[in-house]
Amino acid sequence: MTNHNRQHIDRRLSVAPMMDWTDRHCRFFLRLVAPDALLFTEMVTADAIIHGDCERLLGHDLAEHPLALQLGGSDPEKLAKASRIAMDYGFAEINLNVGCPSDRVQSGRFGACLMAEPALVAECCSAMASVTTAFDVPVSVKCRIGIDDMDSETGLDAFTHAVADAGVTLLYVHARKAWLKGLSPKENRDIPPLDYARVKRLVGAFPAIDIHINGGIVALDTARELAPDFAGMMLGRAAYKTPMILPQIAYELYGTKPPSRADIAASMADYADIKTAADVPLHAITRHMLGLYNGQRGAKLWRRSLGEDARSRSADGGQLIRETVTACEALATQLAA
């Protein structure tokens, strides 16, 4: 595969790496929704890449590009080895996960707990960059503004200094602390308060780093307010649950005409024809599309059909999608009349 040169990638809008969500079928769908956005894989551990099925873990459709790979790990040598393997798959960027708060991730000594070890993170980034630089692929870091009792002013500055000294020029910051003691991963996505102002101060302190804001961007108005202050915006759950927010933001940023729901669905039906013929369950594809008609007439029908009926309709390929979008569009037409 051909690597994408970093100068050609517009990172002003990206979709966050989300475990169990941003798999290859989800990304194919999101690329139709937001042709200009940078997409991220789910987190893949360095060990999994070194010892596992690389095609299953790293393989993807060229239509997903530009696509960044998020790695999990804390062993510089293993991360470098995994990065070298990944270079054969054409990723536009390799991202190190220093933000995930789950217990499973902590026990493996990666994710948000690494914010307490900035020197180790810097070593990891240097090792990864020693491989990727020759391919003109940048190494980036995704982190929180702090963890537990860490001072989010001095701690975040020290962390950023460390990764900057390691050559990192791309930082994605979830504008919340991660409380590794006392809160579940789900609670960590909502309970710690958002602090966009703290990340904005980081922008001022590190002008040489492109700092992207993540967390709580669920409405166009929020995106509109944040856009001028940061190098880019990364959306997570809102992009998944209400995907049509992405073309709204893209229109503001790039002036690109938003795709229609019907056109997106038609393309996904064609995709489903191909994938189900290769024994991919239809539900593995449609489960990522449930939010497409969110807020529209027919949304309940859409969710029920693609969420429940798809489990028994794999043999029909994309026909269920075609039938359902026709029904939803008919409902919308009735409303307009």
Short mmCIF file of all heavy atoms in Angstrom, two decimals, residues 229-285:
data_model
loop_
_atom_site.label_atom_id
_atom_site.label_comp_id
_atom_site.label_asym_id
_atom_site.label_seq_id
_atom_site.Cartn_x
_atom_site.Cartn_y
_atom_site.Cartn_z
N ASP A 229 -9.55 27.77 17.95
CA ASP A 229 -8.53 27.70 18.99
C ASP A 229 -7.60 26.50 18.88
O ASP A 229 -6.59 26.43 19.60
CB ASP A 229 -9.18 27.69 20.38
CG ASP A 229 -9.94 28.97 20.68
OD1 ASP A 229 -9.49 30.04 20.22
OD2 ASP A 229 -10.98 28.90 21.36
N PHE A 230 -7.92 25.54 18.03
CA PHE A 230 -7.16 24.30 18.00
C PHE A 230 -6.81 23.90 16.58
O PHE A 230 -7.45 24.33 15.62
CB PHE A 230 -7.96 23.19 18.69
CG PHE A 230 -8.30 23.49 20.11
CD1 PHE A 230 -9.53 24.04 20.45
CD2 PHE A 230 -7.36 23.29 21.12
CE1 PHE A 230 -9.83 24.37 21.77
CE2 PHE A 230 -7.65 23.61 22.44
CZ PHE A 230 -8.89 24.15 22.77
N ALA A 231 -5.80 23.06 16.45
CA ALA A 231 -5.39 22.58 15.13
C ALA A 231 -6.46 21.70 14.51
O ALA A 231 -6.55 21.59 13.28
CB ALA A 231 -4.08 21.81 15.25
N GLY A 232 -7.26 21.08 15.37
CA GLY A 232 -8.32 20.22 14.87
C GLY A 232 -9.22 19.77 15.98
O GLY A 232 -8.95 19.99 17.16
N MET A 233 -10.31 19.12 15.58
CA MET A 233 -11.29 18.58 16.54
C MET A 233 -11.46 17.10 16.29
O MET A 233 -11.58 16.67 15.14
CB MET A 233 -12.64 19.28 16.37
CG MET A 233 -12.65 20.73 16.79
SD MET A 233 -14.25 21.50 16.38
CE MET A 233 -14.10 21.59 14.59
N MET A 234 -11.46 16.34 17.38
CA MET A 234 -11.68 14.91 17.29
C MET A 234 -12.99 14.57 17.98
O MET A 234 -13.19 14.91 19.15
CB MET A 234 -10.52 14.16 17.97
CG MET A 234 -10.73 12.66 18.08
SD MET A 234 -9.35 11.82 18.90
CE MET A 234 -8.28 11.49 17.50
N LEU A 235 -13.89 13.91 17.25
CA LEU A 235 -15.17 13.49 17.81
C LEU A 235 -15.15 11.99 18.07
O LEU A 235 -14.58 11.23 17.28
CB LEU A 235 -16.32 13.82 16.86
CG LEU A 235 -16.88 15.24 16.93
CD1 LEU A 235 -15.90 16.24 16.34
CD2 LEU A 235 -18.22 15.33 16.19
N GLY A 236 -15.79 11.58 19.16
CA GLY A 236 -15.87 10.17 19.49
C GLY A 236 -17.29 9.65 19.40
O GLY A 236 -17.81 9.39 18.32
N ARG A 237 -17.95 9.54 20.55
CA ARG A 237 -19.28 8.94 20.58
C ARG A 237 -20.30 9.68 19.72
O ARG A 237 -21.18 9.07 19.12
CB ARG A 237 -19.77 8.86 22.03
CG ARG A 237 -19.10 7.75 22.83
CD ARG A 237 -19.45 7.85 24.30
NE ARG A 237 -18.89 9.06 24.89
CZ ARG A 237 -19.30 9.62 26.02
NH1 ARG A 237 -20.33 9.10 26.67
NH2 ARG A 237 -18.73 10.70 26.50
N ALA A 238 -20.19 11.00 19.63
CA ALA A 238 -21.15 11.76 18.81
C ALA A 238 -21.02 11.36 17.34
O ALA A 238 -22.02 11.27 16.62
CB ALA A 238 -20.92 13.25 18.96
N ALA A 239 -19.79 11.10 16.89
CA ALA A 239 -19.59 10.69 15.50
C ALA A 239 -20.20 9.33 15.24
O ALA A 239 -20.64 9.03 14.13
CB ALA A 239 -18.09 10.66 15.19
N TYR A 240 -20.22 8.49 16.27
CA TYR A 240 -20.75 7.14 16.12
C TYR A 240 -22.27 7.12 16.25
O TYR A 240 -22.97 6.51 15.46
CB TYR A 240 -20.13 6.23 17.18
CG TYR A 240 -20.42 4.76 16.95
CD1 TYR A 240 -19.59 3.99 16.15
CD2 TYR A 240 -21.50 4.14 17.54
CE1 TYR A 240 -19.84 2.64 15.93
CE2 TYR A 240 -21.78 2.80 17.34
CZ TYR A 240 -20.93 2.05 16.53
OH TYR A 240 -21.20 0.71 16.32
N LYS A 241 -22.79 7.81 17.26
CA LYS A 241 -24.22 7.75 17.55
C LYS A 241 -25.04 8.73 16.73
O LYS A 241 -26.22 8.47 16.44
CB LYS A 241 -24.45 7.97 19.05
CG LYS A 241 -23.85 6.84 19.90
CD LYS A 241 -24.12 7.04 21.37
CE LYS A 241 -23.60 5.85 22.17
NZ LYS A 241 -23.84 6.00 23.63
N THR A 242 -24.45 9.84 16.36
CA THR A 242 -25.13 10.84 15.51
C THR A 242 -24.20 11.21 14.36
O THR A 242 -23.71 12.35 14.29
CB THR A 242 -25.52 12.09 16.32
OG1 THR A 242 -24.33 12.62 16.94
CG2 THR A 242 -26.53 11.76 17.40
N PRO A 243 -23.91 10.27 13.46
CA PRO A 243 -22.86 10.47 12.46
C PRO A 243 -23.04 11.68 11.55
O PRO A 243 -22.06 12.24 11.07
CB PRO A 243 -22.86 9.16 11.66
CG PRO A 243 -24.18 8.52 11.95
CD PRO A 243 -24.54 8.93 13.33
N MET A 244 -24.30 12.11 11.33
CA MET A 244 -24.49 13.23 10.41
C MET A 244 -24.05 14.57 10.99
O MET A 244 -24.10 15.60 10.29
CB MET A 244 -25.95 13.30 9.96
CG MET A 244 -26.36 12.10 9.07
SD MET A 244 -25.30 11.84 7.61
CE MET A 244 -25.92 13.12 6.52
N ILE A 245 -23.53 14.56 12.23
CA ILE A 245 -22.90 15.77 12.75
C ILE A 245 -21.57 16.01 12.02
O ILE A 245 -21.12 17.14 11.87
CB ILE A 245 -22.66 15.71 14.28
CG1 ILE A 245 -22.23 17.08 14.81
CG2 ILE A 245 -21.62 14.64 14.64
CD1 ILE A 245 -22.03 17.14 16.31
N LEU A 246 -20.96 14.94 11.53
CA LEU A 246 -19.67 15.08 10.85
C LEU A 246 -19.77 15.90 9.57
O LEU A 246 -18.98 16.84 9.39
CB LEU A 246 -19.08 13.69 10.56
CG LEU A 246 -18.64 12.89 11.79
CD1 LEU A 246 -18.27 11.47 11.40
CD2 LEU A 246 -17.45 13.56 12.48
N PRO A 247 -20.70 15.61 8.66
CA PRO A 247 -20.79 16.46 7.47
C PRO A 247 -21.21 17.90 7.79
O PRO A 247 -20.86 18.82 7.06
CB PRO A 247 -21.81 15.75 6.58
CG PRO A 247 -22.50 14.75 7.43
CD PRO A 247 -21.56 14.41 8.54
N GLN A 248 -21.95 18.09 8.89
CA GLN A 248 -22.30 19.46 9.28
C GLN A 248 -21.03 20.24 9.64
O GLN A 248 -20.84 21.39 9.22
CB GLN A 248 -23.24 19.44 10.49
CG GLN A 248 -24.63 18.93 10.19
CD GLN A 248 -25.50 18.89 11.45
OE1 GLN A 248 -25.06 19.25 12.54
NE2 GLN A 248 -26.73 18.45 11.30
N ILE A 249 -20.16 19.60 10.43
CA ILE A 249 -18.90 20.25 10.81
C ILE A 249 -18.00 20.40 9.60
O ILE A 249 -17.35 21.44 9.40
CB ILE A 249 -18.20 19.45 11.93
CG1 ILE A 249 -19.05 19.45 13.20
CG2 ILE A 249 -16.81 20.04 12.21
CD1 ILE A 249 -18.53 18.55 14.30
N ALA A 250 -17.96 19.37 8.75
CA ALA A 250 -17.12 19.43 7.55
C ALA A 250 -17.53 20.58 6.64
O ALA A 250 -16.68 21.25 6.04
CB ALA A 250 -17.18 18.10 6.81
N TYR A 251 -18.84 20.83 6.56
CA TYR A 251 -19.32 21.94 5.73
C TYR A 251 -18.79 23.27 6.27
O TYR A 251 -18.38 24.16 5.50
CB TYR A 251 -20.84 21.95 5.68
CG TYR A 251 -21.41 23.06 4.83
CD1 TYR A 251 -21.37 22.99 3.44
CD2 TYR A 251 -21.96 24.19 5.43
CE1 TYR A 251 -21.88 24.02 2.66
CE2 TYR A 251 -22.47 25.22 4.65
CZ TYR A 251 -22.42 25.13 3.27
OH TYR A 251 -22.91 26.16 2.50
N GLU A 252 -18.77 23.39 7.61
CA GLU A 252 -18.24 24.62 8.23
C GLU A 252 -16.74 24.76 7.95
O GLU A 252 -16.24 25.86 7.71
CB GLU A 252 -18.47 24.57 9.74
CG GLU A 252 -19.91 24.57 10.17
CD GLU A 252 -20.49 25.96 10.33
OE1 GLU A 252 -19.74 26.87 10.72
OE2 GLU A 252 -21.69 26.14 10.04
N LEU A 253 -16.02 23.64 8.00
CA LEU A 253 -14.56 23.69 7.87
C LEU A 253 -14.10 23.77 6.42
O LEU A 253 -13.18 24.52 6.09
CB LEU A 253 -13.94 22.45 8.51
CG LEU A 253 -14.08 22.30 10.03
CD1 LEU A 253 -13.52 20.95 10.47
CD2 LEU A 253 -13.34 23.43 10.76
N TYR A 254 -14.71 22.95 5.57
CA TYR A 254 -14.21 22.80 4.21
C TYR A 254 -15.14 23.35 3.14
O TYR A 254 -14.75 23.47 1.98
CB TYR A 254 -13.96 21.32 3.88
CG TYR A 254 -13.26 20.54 4.95
CD1 TYR A 254 -13.92 19.52 5.65
CD2 TYR A 254 -11.93 20.78 5.26
CE1 TYR A 254 -13.27 18.78 6.63
CE2 TYR A 254 -11.28 20.05 6.24
CZ TYR A 254 -11.96 19.05 6.92
OH TYR A 254 -11.31 18.33 7.89
N GLY A 255 -16.41 23.58 3.50
CA GLY A 255 -17.38 24.01 2.51
C GLY A 255 -17.86 22.90 1.60
O GLY A 255 -18.42 23.16 0.54
N THR A 256 -17.60 21.66 2.02
CA THR A 256 -18.01 20.52 1.18
C THR A 256 -19.49 20.23 1.36
O THR A 256 -20.02 20.27 2.47
CB THR A 256 -17.20 19.26 1.54
OG1 THR A 256 -17.23 19.08 2.96
CG2 THR A 256 -15.76 19.39 1.10
N LYS A 257 -20.14 19.88 0.26
CA LYS A 257 -21.58 19.59 0.29
C LYS A 257 -21.82 18.30 1.07
O LYS A 257 -21.22 17.26 0.77
CB LYS A 257 -22.11 19.45 -1.13
CG LYS A 257 -23.60 19.18 -1.20
CD LYS A 257 -24.04 18.96 -2.63
CE LYS A 257 -25.52 18.58 -2.68
NZ LYS A 257 -25.95 18.25 -4.06
N PRO A 258 -22.69 18.32 2.07
CA PRO A 258 -22.96 17.11 2.85
C PRO A 258 -23.59 16.02 2.00
O PRO A 258 -24.45 16.29 1.16
CB PRO A 258 -23.94 17.59 3.94
CG PRO A 258 -23.77 19.06 4.00
CD PRO A 258 -23.42 19.49 2.61
N PRO A 259 -23.15 14.77 2.17
CA PRO A 259 -23.77 13.67 1.44
C PRO A 259 -25.18 13.41 2.00
O PRO A 259 -25.47 13.74 3.15
CB PRO A 259 -22.85 12.48 1.74
CG PRO A 259 -22.24 12.82 3.07
CD PRO A 259 -22.10 14.31 3.10
N SER A 260 -26.05 12.84 1.19
CA SER A 260 -27.39 12.52 1.68
C SER A 260 -27.38 11.17 2.39
O SER A 260 -26.57 10.30 2.07
CB SER A 260 -28.39 12.49 0.52
OG SER A 260 -28.22 11.30 -0.25
N ARG A 261 -28.31 11.01 3.32
CA ARG A 261 -28.45 9.72 4.01
C ARG A 261 -28.73 8.60 3.02
O ARG A 261 -28.19 7.50 3.13
CB ARG A 261 -29.56 9.81 5.06
CG ARG A 261 -29.22 10.69 6.26
CD ARG A 261 -30.42 10.81 7.19
NE ARG A 261 -30.06 11.51 8.43
CZ ARG A 261 -30.06 12.84 8.54
NH1 ARG A 261 -30.38 13.61 7.49
NH2 ARG A 261 -29.71 13.41 9.69
N ALA A 262 -29.57 8.88 2.04
CA ALA A 262 -29.94 7.85 1.08
C ALA A 262 -28.73 7.40 0.25
O ALA A 262 -28.56 6.21 -0.02
CB ALA A 262 -31.05 8.36 0.16
N ASP A 263 -27.88 8.35 -0.13
CA ASP A 263 -26.69 8.00 -0.92
C ASP A 263 -25.71 7.18 -0.08
O ASP A 263 -25.09 6.23 -0.58
CB ASP A 263 -26.00 9.26 -1.45
CG ASP A 263 -26.75 9.90 -2.61
OD1 ASP A 263 -27.65 9.23 -3.16
OD2 ASP A 263 -26.44 11.05 -2.95
N ILE A 264 -25.55 7.57 1.18
CA ILE A 264 -24.67 6.82 2.08
C ILE A 264 -25.18 5.39 2.23
O ILE A 264 -24.42 4.42 2.12
CB ILE A 264 -24.58 7.51 3.45
CG1 ILE A 264 -23.86 8.86 3.34
CG2 ILE A 264 -23.88 6.60 4.47
CD1 ILE A 264 -24.02 9.75 4.55
N ALA A 265 -26.48 5.27 2.46
CA ALA A 265 -27.08 3.95 2.64
C ALA A 265 -26.94 3.10 1.38
O ALA A 265 -26.67 1.89 1.46
CB ALA A 265 -28.55 4.09 3.03
N ALA A 266 -27.10 3.71 0.21
CA ALA A 266 -26.98 2.97 -1.05
C ALA A 266 -25.57 2.42 -1.21
O ALA A 266 -25.38 1.26 -1.63
CB ALA A 266 -27.34 3.88 -2.22
N SER A 267 -24.58 3.23 -0.87
CA SER A 267 -23.20 2.77 -0.97
C SER A 267 -22.91 1.66 0.04
O SER A 267 -22.18 0.70 -0.26
CB SER A 267 -22.23 3.93 -0.76
OG SER A 267 -22.34 4.88 -1.80
N MET A 268 -23.49 1.77 1.22
CA MET A 268 -23.30 0.73 2.22
C MET A 268 -24.00 -0.56 1.82
O MET A 268 -23.53 -1.67 2.14
CB MET A 268 -23.80 1.20 3.59
CG MET A 268 -22.91 2.21 4.27
SD MET A 268 -21.18 1.67 4.48
CE MET A 268 -21.38 0.26 5.59
N ALA A 269 -25.10 -0.46 1.11
CA ALA A 269 -25.79 -1.66 0.62
C ALA A 269 -24.90 -2.40 -0.38
O ALA A 269 -24.79 -3.64 -0.34
CB ALA A 269 -27.12 -1.29 -0.01
N ASP A 270 -24.26 -1.65 -1.28
CA ASP A 270 -23.34 -2.26 -2.24
C ASP A 270 -22.17 -2.92 -1.50
O ASP A 270 -21.72 -4.02 -1.87
CB ASP A 270 -22.81 -1.22 -3.22
CG ASP A 270 -23.90 -0.67 -4.14
OD1 ASP A 270 -24.97 -1.31 -4.25
OD2 ASP A 270 -23.68 0.41 -4.72
N TYR A 271 -21.66 -2.24 -0.49
CA TYR A 271 -20.57 -2.77 0.33
C TYR A 271 -21.01 -4.05 1.01
O TYR A 271 -20.27 -5.05 1.05
CB TYR A 271 -20.15 -1.71 1.35
CG TYR A 271 -19.10 -2.12 2.35
CD1 TYR A 271 -17.75 -2.13 2.00
CD2 TYR A 271 -19.44 -2.46 3.65
CE1 TYR A 271 -16.77 -2.48 2.93
CE2 TYR A 271 -18.48 -2.81 4.58
CZ TYR A 271 -17.14 -2.81 4.22
OH TYR A 271 -16.18 -3.15 5.15
N ALA A 272 -22.22 -4.05 1.55
CA ALA A 272 -22.74 -5.23 2.25
C ALA A 272 -22.90 -6.41 1.29
O ALA A 272 -22.69 -7.57 1.69
CB ALA A 272 -24.07 -4.91 2.92
N ASP A 273 -23.28 -6.14 0.04
CA ASP A 273 -23.37 -7.21 -0.96
C ASP A 273 -22.03 -7.95 -1.05
O ASP A 273 -21.98 -9.19 -1.07
CB ASP A 273 -23.70 -6.63 -2.34
CG ASP A 273 -25.15 -6.21 -2.49
OD1 ASP A 273 -25.99 -6.67 -1.68
OD2 ASP A 273 -25.44 -5.43 -3.40
N ILE A 274 -20.97 -7.19 -1.15
CA ILE A 274 -19.62 -7.77 -1.32
C ILE A 274 -19.19 -8.51 -0.07
O ILE A 274 -18.70 -9.65 -0.13
CB ILE A 274 -18.61 -6.66 -1.67
CG1 ILE A 274 -18.97 -6.02 -3.02
CG2 ILE A 274 -17.19 -7.19 -1.68
CD1 ILE A 274 -18.24 -4.72 -3.30
N LYS A 275 -19.38 -7.88 1.09
CA LYS A 275 -18.86 -8.46 2.33
C LYS A 275 -19.65 -9.68 2.77
O LYS A 275 -19.08 -10.67 3.24
CB LYS A 275 -18.85 -7.40 3.44
CG LYS A 275 -17.86 -6.28 3.20
CD LYS A 275 -16.44 -6.80 3.09
CE LYS A 275 -15.43 -5.69 2.83
NZ LYS A 275 -14.07 -6.23 2.68
N THR A 276 -20.97 -9.65 2.64
CA THR A 276 -21.75 -10.82 3.06
C THR A 276 -21.48 -12.00 2.13
O THR A 276 -21.53 -13.16 2.57
CB THR A 276 -23.25 -10.51 3.12
OG1 THR A 276 -23.68 -9.97 1.84
CG2 THR A 276 -23.56 -9.50 4.22
N ALA A 277 -21.15 -11.71 0.89
CA ALA A 277 -20.78 -12.79 -0.04
C ALA A 277 -19.48 -13.45 0.39
O ALA A 277 -19.20 -14.60 0.04
CB ALA A 277 -20.65 -12.25 -1.46
N ALA A 278 -18.69 -12.72 1.17
CA ALA A 278 -17.43 -13.26 1.71
C ALA A 278 -17.62 -13.73 3.16
O ALA A 278 -16.65 -13.81 3.92
CB ALA A 278 -16.34 -12.20 1.63
N ASP A 279 -18.88 -13.99 3.53
CA ASP A 279 -19.23 -14.56 4.84
C ASP A 279 -19.11 -13.60 6.02
O ASP A 279 -19.03 -14.03 7.17
CB ASP A 279 -18.41 -15.83 5.13
CG ASP A 279 -18.73 -16.96 4.16
OD1 ASP A 279 -19.90 -17.05 3.74
OD2 ASP A 279 -17.82 -17.72 3.80
N VAL A 280 -19.11 -12.30 5.77
CA VAL A 280 -19.21 -11.33 6.86
C VAL A 280 -20.68 -11.22 7.25
O VAL A 280 -21.53 -10.99 6.38
CB VAL A 280 -18.67 -9.95 6.43
CG1 VAL A 280 -18.92 -8.91 7.53
CG2 VAL A 280 -17.19 -10.02 6.09
N PRO A 281 -21.03 -11.40 8.52
CA PRO A 281 -22.43 -11.26 8.93
C PRO A 281 -22.94 -9.84 8.64
O PRO A 281 -22.24 -8.86 8.88
CB PRO A 281 -22.40 -11.53 10.44
CG PRO A 281 -21.13 -12.27 10.68
CD PRO A 281 -20.16 -11.75 9.66
N LEU A 282 -24.15 -9.74 8.12
CA LEU A 282 -24.72 -8.42 7.81
C LEU A 282 -24.74 -7.53 9.04
O LEU A 282 -24.46 -6.33 8.96
CB LEU A 282 -26.13 -8.59 7.23
CG LEU A 282 -26.88 -7.30 6.87
CD1 LEU A 282 -26.12 -6.52 5.80
CD2 LEU A 282 -28.29 -7.62 6.40
N HIS A 283 -25.07 -8.11 10.19
CA HIS A 283 -25.16 -7.30 11.40
C HIS A 283 -23.82 -6.68 11.78
O HIS A 283 -23.76 -5.62 12.42
CB HIS A 283 -25.69 -8.15 12.56
CG HIS A 283 -25.89 -7.38 13.82
ND1 HIS A 283 -25.00 -7.45 14.89
CD2 HIS A 283 -26.84 -6.50 14.19
CE1 HIS A 283 -25.43 -6.66 15.85
NE2 HIS A 283 -26.54 -6.07 15.46
N ALA A 284 -22.71 -7.33 11.41
CA ALA A 284 -21.38 -6.77 11.71
C ALA A 284 -21.18 -5.45 10.98
O ALA A 284 -20.38 -4.60 11.41
CB ALA A 284 -20.29 -7.76 11.31
N ILE A 285 -21.91 -5.26 9.90
CA ILE A 285 -21.83 -4.02 9.12
C ILE A 285 -22.90 -3.03 9.60
O ILE A 285 -22.61 -1.87 9.89
CB ILE A 285 -22.01 -4.32 7.62
CG1 ILE A 285 -20.89 -5.23 7.13
CG2 ILE A 285 -22.08 -3.03 6.81
CD1 ILE A 285 -21.15 -5.86 5.77
#
